[in-house]
């Protein structure tokens, strides 16, 4: 915690805190957010791969699905997110390795359309960032009718979300009654973005914050990005911070080694706004000499570009 947050005075019965962060919601009444459920455990991969589905598809609520790729297909076991608005759907990421991702996404879209009395809905394929464990399935969507794939370039990403000055200006995309704010957060990778869903209060942070190893390839850019995300969320309700992997075990400070496909005691997917603040404080405290730094639920892991 920043010590300036603790500068408080009690005068005439009124508590005044100089520089205190604004409340994310004025009352504990649900903050006007659409509710949803996360599973207590996700399927990882194994111990018997013949008994494990290739994808776990979880409905957070009727208009937001979370898909997890099996570790039996690829040890990265990435999470994908599928949002539905009135006019368009948006998929974040397309998975790792060779998969049947388009088939699973199309099945999920068809189920949503059936439930909503629709023939179809246009799909935008977006990316948390450009690493191939999140973009390998792009080729299954490119050129398909009713599908727009956001290009893997700064120019294409900025244009898709109306970001005028990359990375400092915020952008957004309106799916029809559902606005996602888009914040450029380069540092893990040049195209990294965060999505904030105003309907559920979910903040997607890609590979920049999740329970696991946060590989930082450009430390100054990453530190500035996380500060930008803290500033952006300061006055917004954040229900969950959801990233693209789980590498941490449910034992504090302990991760699963790289390449692990079966993680029977893995950390939950969901982090909170407090983890974002914790990451920001840790980055500020180590910015002069970036070093590997394990925190309870994730590790800051500087890497050579
Ligand atoms: Zn990555
Ligand atoms: Zn990744």
């Amino acid at each position: 915690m920043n010590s300036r947050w603790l500068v408080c005075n009690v005068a005439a019965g009124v508590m005044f805190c100089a520089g205190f962060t604004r409340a994310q919601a004025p009352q504990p009444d649900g903050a006007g957010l659409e509710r949803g459920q996360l599973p207590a455990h996700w399927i990882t991969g194994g111990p018997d791969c013949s008994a494990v589905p290739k994808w776990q598809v979880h409905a957070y609520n009727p208009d937001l699905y979370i898909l997890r790729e099996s570790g039996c297909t690829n040890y990265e076991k990435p999470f994908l997110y599928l949002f539905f608005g009135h006019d368009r759907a948006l998929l974040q990421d397309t998975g790792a390795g060779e998969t049947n991702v388009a088939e699973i996404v199309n099945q999920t879209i068809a189920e949503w359309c059936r439930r909503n009395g629709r023939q179809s809905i246009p799909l935008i394929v977006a990316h948390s960032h450009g690493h191939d464990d999140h973009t390998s399935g792009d080729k299954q969507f490119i050129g398909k009718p009713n599908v727009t794939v956001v290009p893997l370039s700064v120019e294409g990403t900025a244009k898709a979300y109306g970001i005028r000055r990359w990375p400092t200006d915020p952008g957004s995309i309106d799916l029809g009654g559902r606005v996602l704010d888009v914040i450029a957060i380069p540092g893990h990778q040049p195209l990294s973005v965060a999505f904030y869903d105003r309907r559920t209060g979910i903040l997607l942070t890609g590979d920049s914050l999740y329970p696991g190893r946060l590989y930082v390839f450009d430390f100054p850019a990453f530190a500035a990005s996380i500060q930008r995300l803290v500033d952006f969320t300061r006055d917004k309700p954040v229900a969950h911070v959801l990233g693209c992997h789980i590498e941490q075990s449910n034992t504090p400070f302990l991760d699963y080694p790289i390449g692990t496909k079966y993680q029977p005691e893995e950390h939950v997917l969901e982090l909170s706004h407090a983890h974002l603040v914790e990451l920001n404080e840790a980055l500020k405290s180590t910015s002069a000499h970036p070093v590997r730094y394990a925190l309870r639920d994730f590790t800051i892991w500087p890497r050579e570009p």
Side-chain angles (χ1 to χ4, degrees):
M1 179 173 283
N2 188 323
S3 59
R4 81 184 163 85
W5 295 4
L6 301 175
V7 181
C8 300
N9 292 309
V10 177
V14 177
M15 180 175 253
F16 170 75
C17 299
F20 202 92
T21 186
R22 273 177 281 172
Q24 288 207 336
Q27 300 293 336
D29 57 2
L33 298 174
E34 266 183 17
R35 298 174 194 191
Q37 297 295 324
L38 289 163
H41 302 284
W42 294 89
I43 297 168
T44 61
D48 174 10
C49 279
S50 67
V52 176
K54 289 180 177 164
W55 293 91
Q56 180 178 0
V57 181
H58 173 81
Y60 177 79
N61 69 25
D63 296 322
L64 172 54
Y65 289 80
I66 306 175
L67 292 73
R68 192 194 200 175
E69 188 174 333
S70 168
C72 293
T73 307
N74 189 288
Y75 76 87
E76 295 279 12
K77 305 177 286 300
F79 290 86
L80 284 56
Y81 298 87
L82 181 59
F83 295 89
F84 289 92
H86 298 309
D87 304 328
R88 296 187 284 180
L90 182 141
L91 173 70
Q92 182 194 271
D93 293 345
T94 59
E98 293 299 318
T99 70
N100 61 336
V101 61
E103 178 189 347
I104 296 299
V105 169
N106 288 337
Q107 283 175 8
T108 309
I109 291 173
E111 179 194 309
W112 184 91
C113 285
R114 258 195 314 277
R115 209 166 6 88
N116 289 275
R118 301 273 291 265
Q119 291 295 315
S120 63
I121 186 167
L123 174 68
I124 298 159
V125 176
H127 305 101
S128 61
H129 63 294
H131 284 152
D132 64 5
D133 53 324
H134 306 275
T135 61
S136 289
D138 277 23
K139 52 188 176 292
Q140 299 179 39
F141 294 96
I142 291 171
K144 293 291 187 296
N146 236 6
V147 176
T148 304
V149 179
V150 176
L152 290 171
S153 65
V154 167
E155 296 74 22
T157 303
K159 188 177 174 196
Y161 309 124
I163 296 173
R164 284 189 296 176
R165 277 174 306 185
W166 180 278
T168 50
D169 281 359
S172 66
I173 185 164
D174 189 349
L175 306 179
R178 176 169 227 148
V179 174
L180 304 181
D181 295 293
V182 186
I183 309 299
I185 52 169
H188 170 73
Q189 201 269 335
L191 301 184
S192 294
V193 295
F195 291 92
Y196 175 74
D197 175 31
R198 298 183 192 177
R199 270 176 44 178
T200 60
I202 282 177
L203 179 68
L204 299 185
T205 46
D207 277 7
S208 298
L209 177 55
Y210 64 92
R213 297 176 287 276
L214 310 183
Y215 296 132
V216 181
F217 292 91
D218 181 336
F219 203 93
F222 189 78
S225 291
I226 297 305
Q227 180 64 58
R228 196 177 311 116
L229 210 45
V230 168
D231 294 341
F232 173 78
T233 54
R234 198 177 301 281
D235 59 351
K236 295 174 180 63
V238 176
H240 300 291
V241 173
L242 303 180
C244 284
H245 301 281
I246 300 172
E247 294 159 354
Q248 205 77 4
S249 78
N250 61 17
T251 299
F253 300 97
L254 182 68
D255 68 4
Y256 283 99
I258 293 171
T260 303
K261 64 179 184 180
Y262 178 49
Q263 301 181 164
E265 296 185 343
E266 70 177 8
H267 195 287
V268 293
L269 171 65
E270 59 271 28
L271 297 177
S272 74
H273 185 262
H275 290 97
L276 178 64
V277 174
E278 181 183 28
L279 172 59
N280 195 43
E281 293 299 307
L283 291 169
K284 283 195 278 189
S285 72
T286 60
S287 61
H289 303 285
V291 292
R292 191 175 303 168
Y293 186 15
L295 293 125
R296 181 186 186 276
D297 300 295
F298 55 85
T299 302
I300 299 168
W301 200 295
R303 296 272 302 265
E304 291 299 316

